[in-house]
């Protein structure tokens, strides 16, 4: 990985000292890139002209651009489309909460997990983002709104555990006190449940909030909506989650998108509650967002309420995710798909 925005301080030190410069220049460079969020060598005025020229030649900065912005009139949510150097497009969302600004970033262009209700996976995986491209989404949004971002959710397009090393590199960079200093506990990583990587994440003593896209109480039902269920059973996922809790002390979030007639019956709720009973966890319900190319419909309000009551009665903490930005296109991947379609690709 050669993009300089993805390098940690030690790598920058090696790179800077190889030029015969003193080590503290690396810290200055790191602060430009990650604290001031300036991705243009010509502005890095405390570095010598000579060094800036060498850097520019060997490590050209390839900034990501804001391509389009959609602002919700309902709740101030902003959806961004970004264009990368190779002209691929990704999307991110800024959500404003009482407790601060939260950004939902993409980890890949497209996705190969194939969940049947999801728009991001319709065209498969195009490529994984570099840590620098993940950072760019947060930095550009902060610069755009001129406010601090306090929380990050890695819940946009892509499966962040498919490339755990790149995702964790992003986490460590955004976590750095010399950069944005966003604590791991303010970062949520959402996965469809790649079991070996959950163990690996636990062994790294991660403090990020792990969110598992469960969406079904039985393997049979899960297989009908999520191909990954053919690879890992719910039991295996829950065992990995127990290990994560034991190692890190962190509570797990289970995401459950309610789809009318698929996974939203009282029996589904009871079965889910039984499986999760006694676990340090929390269930986040969300009515599925209708995706044009997909058949699934969100459950209606009475059903959602009933589902929630049954879980709560079983002692499972359950919340209903507030729908933000409903007027500016819904689930992850939809905005990008619509834009590409309209552009006529
Ligand atoms: N690959 C990761 C993260 C990206 S998806 C994962 O699977 O968790 C982020 C979340 O949005 C997941 O819970 C996913 O299942 C959910 N999601 C995808 N499409 C959706 C839709 N149409 N409606 C509601 N949630 C959806």
């Amino acid at each position: 990985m050669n993009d300089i925005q993805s390098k940690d301080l030690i790598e920058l030190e090696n790179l800077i000292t190889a030029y015969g410069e003193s080590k503290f220049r690396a810290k200055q460079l790191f602060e430009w890139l990650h604290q001031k969020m300036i991705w243009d060598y010509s502005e890095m005025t405390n570095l010598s002209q000579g060094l800036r020229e060498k850097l520019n030649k060997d490590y050209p900065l390839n900034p990501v651009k804001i391509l389009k912005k959609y602002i919700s009139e309902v709740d101030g949510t902003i959806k961004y489309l970004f264009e990368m150097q190779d002209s691929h497009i990704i999307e991110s969302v800024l959500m404003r909460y009482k407790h601060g600004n939260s950004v939902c970033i993409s980890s890949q262009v497209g996705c190969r997990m194939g969940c049947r209700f999801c728009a991001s996976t319709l065209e498969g995986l195009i490529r994984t983002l570099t840590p620098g491209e993940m950072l760019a989404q947060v930095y550009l949004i902060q610069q755009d709104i001129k406010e601090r971002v306090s929380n990050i959710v890695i819940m946009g397009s892509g499966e962040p555990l498919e490339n755990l090393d790149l995702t964790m590199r992003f986490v460590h960079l955004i976590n750095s006190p010399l950069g944005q200093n966003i604590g791991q506990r303010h970062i949520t990583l959402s996965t469809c449940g790649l079991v070996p990587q959950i163990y690996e994440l636990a062994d790294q003593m991660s403090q990020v909030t792990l969110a598992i896209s469960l969406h079904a109480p039985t393997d049979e039902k899960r297989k009908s909506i999520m191909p990954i269920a053919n690879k890992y059973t719910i039991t295996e996922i829950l065992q990995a989650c127990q290990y994560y809790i034991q190692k890190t002390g962190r509570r797990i979030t289970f995401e459950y998108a309610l789809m009318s007639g698929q996974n939203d019956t009282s029996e589904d709720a009871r079965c889910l509650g039984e499986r999760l009973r006694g676990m340090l966890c929390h269930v986040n319900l969300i009515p599925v967002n209708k995706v044009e190319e997909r058949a699934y419909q969100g459950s209606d309000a009475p059903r959602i309420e009933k589902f929630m009551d049954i879980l709560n009665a079983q002692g499972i903490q359950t919340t209903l995710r507030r729908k933000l930005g409903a007027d500016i296109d819904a689930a992850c991947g939809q905005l990008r798909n619509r834009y590409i379609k309209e552009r006529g690709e």
Side-chain angles (χ1 to χ4, degrees):
M1 193 181 352
N2 211 32
D3 70 314
I4 201 155
Q5 301 97 312
S6 297
K7 293 189 190 293
D8 62 22
L9 184 62
I10 294 172
E11 288 165 340
L12 289 186
E13 283 173 354
N14 292 338
L15 178 161
I16 288 283
T17 50
Y19 287 133
E21 299 269 351
S22 39
K23 205 162 119 180
F24 79 95
R25 298 283 173 212
K27 188 164 162 263
Q28 291 177 320
L29 176 58
F30 190 93
E31 284 173 343
W32 279 113
L33 293 171
H34 302 292
Q35 195 176 77
K36 304 188 182 82
M37 304 177 287
I38 300 289
W39 287 14
D40 179 350
Y41 291 121
S42 69
E43 291 188 41
M44 302 184 183
T45 43
N46 58 2
L47 304 180
S48 73
Q49 185 75 25
L51 176 58
R52 282 187 267 156
E53 274 166 20
K54 274 184 254 174
L55 286 170
N56 198 33
K57 185 167 149 281
D58 298 341
Y59 303 95
L61 284 164
N62 44 1
V64 175
K65 282 194 308 234
I66 295 180
L67 187 66
K68 250 180 179 298
K69 214 171 120 174
Y70 305 81
I71 305 173
S72 164
E73 284 170 17
V74 185
D75 51 36
T77 298
I78 308 181
K79 302 211 174 178
Y80 290 87
L81 280 181
F82 293 105
E83 183 171 16
M84 288 163 302
Q85 197 77 355
D86 59 4
S87 51
H88 284 313
I89 295 170
I90 50 169
E91 62 186 86
S92 326
V93 188
L94 165 77
M95 293 158 290
R96 296 172 185 275
Y97 295 104
K98 274 191 231 83
H99 62 263
N101 292 317
S102 183
V103 168
C104 173
I105 64 159
S106 293
S107 58
Q108 295 180 319
V109 187
C111 182
R112 71 164 131 223
M113 294 298 124
C115 299
R116 300 214 210 291
F117 46 85
C118 179
S120 298
T121 198
L122 283 166
E123 309 288 327
L125 175 71
I126 297 175
R127 72 169 173 86
T128 295
L129 298 179
T130 67
E133 288 166 332
M134 293 187 231
L135 290 168
Q137 301 170 58
V138 182
Y139 295 177
L140 287 170
I141 290 177
Q142 288 201 120
Q143 286 171 332
D144 186 53
I145 61 169
K146 300 184 179 60
E147 286 172 32
R148 188 179 146 73
V149 164
S150 49
N151 291 277
I152 293 175
V153 291
I154 313 174
M155 221 184 251
S157 299
E159 170 47 55
L161 288 191
E162 242 209 323
N163 207 317
L164 178 63
D165 290 348
L166 294 184
T167 300
M168 286 316 281
R169 184 177 270 266
F170 159 77
V171 168
H172 291 303
L173 286 167
I174 199 94
N175 200 201
S176 167
L178 291 177
Q180 292 305 307
N181 200 10
I182 299 179
Q184 288 205 21
R185 288 167 174 244
H186 294 267
I187 301 173
T188 298
L189 187 159
S190 177
T191 175
C192 63
L194 304 187
V195 167
Q197 286 93 322
I198 295 173
Y199 282 101
E200 217 179 302
L201 194 64
D203 286 335
Q204 291 184 15
M205 301 309 282
S206 141
Q207 281 295 298
V208 301
T209 303
L210 184 62
I212 306 283
S213 301
L214 200 59
H215 302 323
T218 63
D219 289 321
E220 199 191 345
K221 285 206 174 186
R222 201 165 186 259
K223 280 180 197 170
S224 72
I225 49 175
M226 298 175 75
I228 194 68
N230 293 301
K231 195 154 177 194
Y232 304 112
T233 62
I234 294 177
T235 302
E236 287 170 320
I237 293 175
L238 296 182
Q239 278 167 354
C241 288
Q242 286 291 13
Y243 185 76
Y244 191 82
I245 294 167
Q246 183 200 323
K247 277 279 197 182
T248 67
R250 305 284 290 142
R251 184 178 77 159
I252 306 272
T253 298
F254 290 101
E255 291 159 275
Y256 198 101
L258 289 160
M259 297 165 221
S260 181
Q262 293 288 325
N263 63 356
D264 65 346
T265 64
S266 302
E267 179 52 31
D268 290 327
R270 270 190 292 274
C271 182
L272 179 66
E274 222 137 83
R275 298 202 84 151
L276 300 183
R277 198 184 315 216
M279 195 169 194
L280 181 63
C281 73
H282 160 254
V283 173
N284 201 204
L285 297 175
I286 175 175
V288 80
N289 278 306
K290 179 92 186 76
V291 173
E292 210 179 282
E293 297 84 347
R294 306 297 205 185
Y296 304 104
Q297 300 275 2
S299 308
D300 57 23
R303 219 171 243 290
I304 296 172
E305 217 155 281
K306 182 139 196 229
F307 201 94
M308 197 161 156
D309 288 346
I310 293 172
L311 284 173
N312 278 324
Q314 288 179 98
I316 313 286
Q317 265 194 42
T318 308
T319 47
L320 181 62
R321 197 190 297 167
R322 204 153 57 93
K323 206 167 169 179
L324 293 174
D327 54 331
I328 48 170
D329 235 327
C332 61
Q334 278 185 282
L335 201 58
R336 170 175 174 271
N337 291 352
R338 195 183 66 183
Y339 181 83
I340 292 174
K341 225 186 253 168
E342 282 171 6
R343 205 170 59 174
E345 278 179 14

